[in-house]
Amino acid sequence: MESKPSNSPSSLVDQHVFPGDVVLDLSKMTNQTIKLGSSLRQDGDAISAMKAGKLRFAKPNKYWVESSHKRYVPCAGDTVLGIVVDSKADYFLVDIKAPTLAFLPVLAFEGGTRRNIPKFEMGTLLYARVVMANTGMNPELACMDATGKAAEFGPLKDGYMFESTTGLSRMLLKSPPCPLLETLGKKLAFEIAVGLNGRVWVNASSPSIIILVANSIMKSESLSPVQQKIMVDNLLQRVQ
């Protein structure tokens, strides 16, 4: 049976879609420019899902299919937490939980020149941005934003990094803030970096706060917003 395009560009947003489903019909979206994220492909005017999951939309014009996996499929524009596994003359090799290691050019840092090449030990944790992700090629990273500024990118020191699913990472990065982080942020002071590749880094002034925040996040994926708030309140009462 042939999949039929939706009449409305947004009618399938936040709905479950399956491989082969036509989720957007460009012929009905005249004078609109859209950006395709992970698990979507274009065939003429039809935009189809490549994986099962929920169709998501982010203003102004990005669509993607959100699914929860342990293995990460890189997509240009994603922010990731990577681990340096090797160093070459012109680039670092970084593990981002993808099928292949990612390249991080030594000049892909704010003000990067041959005279101030950064030096990272093996195992260094980096917050980076995916700038290129083509099928059959190693992804390419940068530790700066699209304007060439370091922003929040670069090495993450101290703290605790743990693995999550890609679905949990996307939940944490939703805007407005997810209820879990909003509730924790009102009671505790901590830093957090979330990679869309299913890694989360937390840092705080004391190990007990780091553990509480990390445990709350790891237990939250299957909970509703109300259940997340109740769980956090219960955890906070235990440590007070």
Side-chain angles (χ1 to χ4, degrees):
M1 182 180 292
E2 237 180 61
S3 298
K4 293 184 179 180
S6 161
N7 290 328
S8 168
S10 61
S11 64
L12 290 177
V13 171
D14 295 331
Q15 301 298 313
H16 283 284
V17 296
F18 299 91
D21 284 355
V22 177
V23 299
L24 293 170
D25 182 358
L26 299 183
S27 67
K28 298 178 180 179
M29 301 173 66
T30 55
N31 300 322
Q32 293 187 49
T33 300
I34 67 170
K35 183 177 180 181
L36 299 183
S38 60
S39 303
L40 290 176
R41 70 177 180 183
Q42 181 177 354
D43 184 10
D45 286 334
I47 305 298
S48 304
M50 298 170 62
K51 290 186 177 180
K54 285 188 177 182
L55 181 67
R56 298 298 194 187
F57 170 75
K59 293 181 179 180
N61 59 359
K62 183 174 181 179
Y63 292 87
W64 73 94
V65 175
E66 179 181 289
S67 51
S68 187
H69 301 285
K70 291 186 177 179
R71 175 66 74 179
Y72 166 64
V73 179
C75 182
D78 284 357
T79 52
V80 296
L81 293 182
I83 299 171
V84 177
V85 297
D86 201 359
S87 176
K88 305 294 183 182
D90 296 321
Y91 58 85
F92 299 98
L93 284 173
V94 183
D95 169 24
I96 58 171
K97 290 178 66 176
T100 59
L101 295 175
F103 288 116
L104 173 59
V106 295
L107 301 181
F109 296 82
E110 182 178 0
T113 67
R114 288 290 177 183
R115 292 187 176 182
N116 63 348
I117 292 175
K119 295 181 180 179
F120 298 128
E121 296 181 358
M122 301 307 100
T124 298
L125 182 66
L126 298 173
Y127 189 51
R129 183 172 64 92
V130 179
V131 295
M132 188 180 300
N134 296 324
T135 304
M137 297 176 61
N138 295 72
E140 184 178 324
L141 308 177
C143 279
M144 54 187 179
D145 61 21
T147 66
K149 300 296 184 181
E152 69 270 31
F153 299 110
L156 298 173
K157 299 178 181 179
D158 303 320
Y160 172 59
M161 190 276 288
F162 58 93
E163 307 277 343
S164 71
T165 63
T166 57
L168 177 56
S169 291
R170 289 189 181 278
M171 181 194 79
L172 295 172
L173 288 170
K174 280 183 179 178
S175 181
C178 75
L180 173 75
L181 295 182
E182 192 173 33
T183 305
L184 286 169
K186 290 178 179 178
K187 302 290 184 179
L188 303 171
F190 62 93
E191 297 177 89
I192 186 170
V194 181
L196 286 169
N197 58 330
R199 284 185 177 142
V200 182
W201 172 84
V202 177
N203 194 20
S205 58
S206 71
S208 61
I209 295 177
I210 294 175
I211 293 170
L212 190 152
V213 173
N215 285 341
S216 298
I217 291 172
M218 287 187 279
K219 294 176 180 178
S220 67
E221 184 167 14
S222 60
L223 301 181
S224 69
V226 173
Q227 290 172 325
Q228 289 177 15
K229 290 182 178 181
I230 293 173
M231 176 193 66
V232 172
D233 288 338
N234 289 337
L235 288 174
L236 289 172
Q237 287 177 4
R238 294 178 191 173
V239 298
Q240 286 176 349

